[in-house]
């Protein structure tokens, strides 16, 4: 069986919008969706109620339990180095890369809990995380339409599978 592709990237890089296209080529696991179905509430409510660390515990646990071909992660999965180590050990890590201003335009009106802290705080989070995302095996330009980004990732996976 081919190894999974873990899709990482900041909020707004379009990870979830790849799902409909990736689904045509394998099983897609969306970590945020898995967590929300477990905690039985949306992530914003959970952050308020239990805090970020409790969310990160769920995130690390859910990551280890995935069995999909494509794993869509939340932007903060890189916050714990054990998560990155896990992903690198078990599959290929793909970084969706997009400039901060583009991410911000896409997320500024959303309900994401960290976005509520305002643009300056989100920008410093973005800058701090950049070096973590850059530990990925592959970087993909996420400014292209989701269909094209997904096709590129599928092609990479097929090429990698051919090398198995
Ligand atoms: C987070 C990103 C969110 C979600 C949670 C925390 C982060 O996922 O997991 O709000 O820390 O960057 P998306 O990247 O899918 O928005």
């Amino acid at each position: 069986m081919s190894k999974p592709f873990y899709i990482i990237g900041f909020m707004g890089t379009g990870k979830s919008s790849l799902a409909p296209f990736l689904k045509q080529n394998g099983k897609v696991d969306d970590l945020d969706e898995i967590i929300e179905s477990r905690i039985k509430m949306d992530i914003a409510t959970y952050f308020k109620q239990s805090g970020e660390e409790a969310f990160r515990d769920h995130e690390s646990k859910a990551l280890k339990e995935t069995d999909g071909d494509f794993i869509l992660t939340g932007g903060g999965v890189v916050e714990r180095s054990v998560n990155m180590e896990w992903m690198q050990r078990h599959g290929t890590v793909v970084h969706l890369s997009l400039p901060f201003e583009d991410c911000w335009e896409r997320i500024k009106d959303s309900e994401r809990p960290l976005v509520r802290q305002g643009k300056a705080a989100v920008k410093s989070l973005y800058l701090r995380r950049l070096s973590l995302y850059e530990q990925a095996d592959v970087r993909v330009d996420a400014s292209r339409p989701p269909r094209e980004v997904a096709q590129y990732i599928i092609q990479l996976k097929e090429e990698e599978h051919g090398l198995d």
Side-chain angles (χ1 to χ4, degrees):
M1 203 186 85
S2 68
K3 290 180 178 171
F5 266 37
Y6 297 95
I7 316 295
I8 68 169
F10 200 67
M11 296 174 275
T13 50
K15 301 179 295 288
S16 299
S17 57
L18 301 179
F21 306 107
L22 296 177
K23 267 181 191 155
Q24 295 167 19
N25 281 270
K27 181 171 185 275
V28 176
D29 291 337
D30 183 318
L31 275 196
D32 282 350
E33 278 178 12
I34 294 171
I35 297 166
E36 283 185 331
S37 75
R38 288 191 184 162
I39 59 184
K40 298 191 172 55
M41 67 183 84
D42 60 58
I43 290 170
T45 309
Y46 190 75
F47 258 64
K48 263 188 231 140
Q49 190 180 294
S50 304
E52 181 171 348
E53 281 312 299
F55 171 77
R56 299 284 169 222
D57 289 342
H58 277 289
E59 190 171 48
S60 298
K61 189 164 181 286
L63 177 66
K64 288 188 178 166
E65 291 167 7
T66 53
D67 63 358
D69 299 295
F70 302 98
I71 318 298
L72 304 172
T73 64
V77 76
V78 295
E79 290 288 349
R80 290 193 175 171
S81 56
V82 284
N83 293 342
M84 183 59 100
E85 283 157 24
W86 172 271
M87 294 188 287
Q88 286 176 326
R89 196 157 0 110
H90 291 88
T92 301
V93 185
V94 178
H95 170 209
L96 294 193
S97 171
L98 193 70
F100 173 72
E101 290 298 333
D102 297 330
C103 292
W104 180 250
E105 279 309 306
R106 293 180 184 182
I107 63 177
K108 65 182 182 188
D109 298 321
S110 77
E111 290 303 313
R112 291 173 173 87
L114 297 174
V115 170
R116 302 290 108 226
Q117 297 173 356
K119 186 173 179 182
V122 177
K123 185 166 187 180
S124 63
L125 185 65
Y126 176 97
L127 294 174
R128 182 172 64 73
R129 284 184 183 167
L130 264 188
S131 61
L132 302 174
Y133 295 131
E134 281 167 2
Q135 292 170 16
D137 301 300
V138 189
R139 184 164 74 145
V140 176
D141 173 7
S143 64
R144 293 180 295 159
R147 177 189 295 276
E148 284 179 29
V149 174
Q151 273 166 354
Y152 181 67
I153 292 171
I154 290 162
Q155 189 188 326
L156 283 178
K157 195 165 195 302
E158 281 171 357
E159 281 166 13
E160 193 157 297
H161 189 46
L163 299 175
D164 280 354

